[in-house]
Amino acid sequence: MSNSFDFNGKVALVTGASSGIGRAAAKALAANGARVAINFHRNEAGAEATRQEIIADGSSAIAIQADVTQASGVQSLVERTVAELGPIDILVNNAGSLIERLRILELTEERWDEVIDLNLKSAFLCCRAVAASMMERKAGVIVNVSSIAGRTGGALGSIHYSTAKGGLITFTKGLAKELAPFGVRVNAISPGVIDTRYHEQFSTPEVMKSYVAGIPLGRVGTPEEVAEVICFLASDAASYLAGETIEINGGMFMD
Ligand code: NAI
């Protein structure tokens, strides 16, 4: 993990940080000096392990339970972060999941809503909860974790998920326009195939093989490689980026 960014004195909140990309992002932000709030939903053990690893590295972190699909949960997540660490400078909207591969005739209204809420509404709720403070302080960065699926429509059985992730890219652009005049930058990343629990749940070994065959770099990505791009967007090195979505996919998809 690199130490190429300077987040000393900054407070970061990462949603869904008990595993995978969120966990790697929390660790990378902390390794570069941020005090980090690790949000988790059900995986308390994963959040605690992340916190312990950050503390063992000499940085500060707290773990906070909240369901980011609920406005009340998001409100208390942000309030606790501010009370315990200070005003939020960096928000990473990472929580998300496909939940279940379903084609249109199998996709219930409830499952559609659940996936849209988890991958899209959650980002709106978290951004709304930090926006006033960031605008007032004329500082802050938001990084939304979208997906290659949001660009391509996704693999079969993911229209609920890919639609939410596509919406997140549009949301990123619209919010970037609103907040840029206040000195707040909003950007997104769009990972390709990254080695996390996500694919353990949703992709068979055969599907993984076919993915790798279509990746010019010849391998899947690591959560740490994605975390580096999140850190870049959160840093002053990206001071002129607003409303951008960075692809990180080993060349699998080029716009
Ligand atoms: P993951 O399953 O390890 O991470 C998802 C996280 O979201 C988990 O920590 C989970 O506990 C959390 N979460 C789920 N529901 C929540 C809720 N209601 N409230 C708070 N947290 C909740 O998988 P991964 O891959 O690290 O996923 C992270 C993000 O990256 C997701 O948004 C995913 O859609 C996105 N992504 C992943 C890709 C991959 O290839 N792994 C590719 C493109 C995007």
Side-chain angles (χ1 to χ4, degrees), residues 15-24 39-43 64-70 77 93-99 117-119 122 144-149 161 165 168 189-199 201-203 208 211 220-221 223 226 248:
T15 67
S18 59
S19 60
I21 293 169
R23 180 179 192 164
N39 159 247
F40 67 98
H41 184 210
R42 297 205 174 95
N43 183 2
I64 305 177
Q65 196 283 331
D67 177 352
V68 293
T69 66
Q70 303 296 320
L77 169 65
N93 287 311
N94 165 77
S97 175
L98 171 61
I99 298 187
D117 285 359
L118 176 55
N119 293 281
S122 62
N144 295 322
V145 179
S146 180
S147 168
I148 189 172
Y161 175 77
K165 292 299 195 185
L168 190 54
I189 58 160
S190 174
V193 184
I194 310 301
D195 184 15
T196 70
R197 256 177 13 156
Y198 179 98
H199 291 289
Q201 290 173 283
F202 307 119
S203 309
M208 287 305 273
Y211 283 152
V220 301
V226 178
I248 168 157

Side-chain angles (χ1 to χ4, degrees), residues 89-125:
D89 303 292
I90 300 165
L91 167 66
V92 182
N93 287 311
N94 165 77
S97 175
L98 171 61
I99 298 187
E100 191 181 5
R101 273 197 200 282
L102 294 166
R103 300 201 187 186
I104 189 153
L105 298 183
E106 309 155 333
L107 187 50
T108 63
E109 192 179 342
E110 290 71 27
R111 191 59 103 197
W112 171 271
D113 287 346
E114 191 183 354
V115 171
I116 300 286
D117 285 359
L118 176 55
N119 293 281
L120 181 56
K121 182 181 161 193
S122 62
F124 152 65
L125 292 174

Side-chain angles (χ1 to χ4, degrees), residues 3-143:
N3 295 86
S4 21
F5 306 102
D6 181 7
F7 299 129
N8 280 299
K10 306 267 188 212
V11 172
L13 167 60
V14 184
T15 67
S18 59
S19 60
I21 293 169
R23 180 179 192 164
K27 288 175 66 176
L29 289 161
N32 287 281
R35 301 196 299 285
V36 179
I38 300 157
N39 159 247
F40 67 98
H41 184 210
R42 297 205 174 95
N43 183 2
E44 184 168 8
E48 185 51 26
T50 310
R51 192 179 76 86
Q52 291 296 347
E53 286 173 20
I54 289 175
I55 286 170
D57 271 357
S59 304
S60 304
I62 57 172
I64 305 177
Q65 196 283 331
D67 177 352
V68 293
T69 66
Q70 303 296 320
S72 57
V74 167
Q75 201 52 44
S76 63
L77 169 65
V78 167
E79 281 170 12
R80 260 194 71 189
T81 303
V82 173
E84 293 186 37
L85 299 180
I88 296 166
D89 303 292
I90 300 165
L91 167 66
V92 182
N93 287 311
N94 165 77
S97 175
L98 171 61
I99 298 187
E100 191 181 5
R101 273 197 200 282
L102 294 166
R103 300 201 187 186
I104 189 153
L105 298 183
E106 309 155 333
L107 187 50
T108 63
E109 192 179 342
E110 290 71 27
R111 191 59 103 197
W112 171 271
D113 287 346
E114 191 183 354
V115 171
I116 300 286
D117 285 359
L118 176 55
N119 293 281
L120 181 56
K121 182 181 161 193
S122 62
F124 152 65
L125 292 174
C126 291
C127 289
R128 192 179 61 171
V130 302
S133 162
M134 286 185 175
M135 289 160 82
E136 207 178 290
R137 289 180 292 131
K138 298 222 174 306
V141 292
I142 295 171
V143 181

Side-chain angles (χ1 to χ4, degrees), residues 133-245:
S133 162
M134 286 185 175
M135 289 160 82
E136 207 178 290
R137 289 180 292 131
K138 298 222 174 306
V141 292
I142 295 171
V143 181
N144 295 322
V145 179
S146 180
S147 168
I148 189 172
R151 299 285 209 191
T152 64
L156 281 176
S158 64
I159 50 173
H160 42 350
Y161 175 77
S162 58
T163 302
K165 292 299 195 185
L168 190 54
I169 293 170
T170 308
F171 172 78
T172 299
K173 292 177 185 170
L175 189 63
K177 286 182 191 171
E178 267 193 47
L179 298 189
F182 296 89
V184 179
R185 291 186 301 104
V186 186
N187 290 290
I189 58 160
S190 174
V193 184
I194 310 301
D195 184 15
T196 70
R197 256 177 13 156
Y198 179 98
H199 291 289
E200 285 167 29
Q201 290 173 283
F202 307 119
S203 309
T204 61
E206 296 73 51
V207 168
M208 287 305 273
K209 245 186 178 172
S210 73
Y211 283 152
V212 172
I215 300 173
L217 280 180
R219 62 174 178 84
V220 301
T222 68
E224 289 71 25
E225 288 174 311
V226 178
E228 288 293 311
V229 182
I230 292 173
C231 283
F232 164 68
L233 283 176
S235 77
D236 289 345
S239 56
Y240 203 54
L241 269 77
E244 181 60 40
T245 297

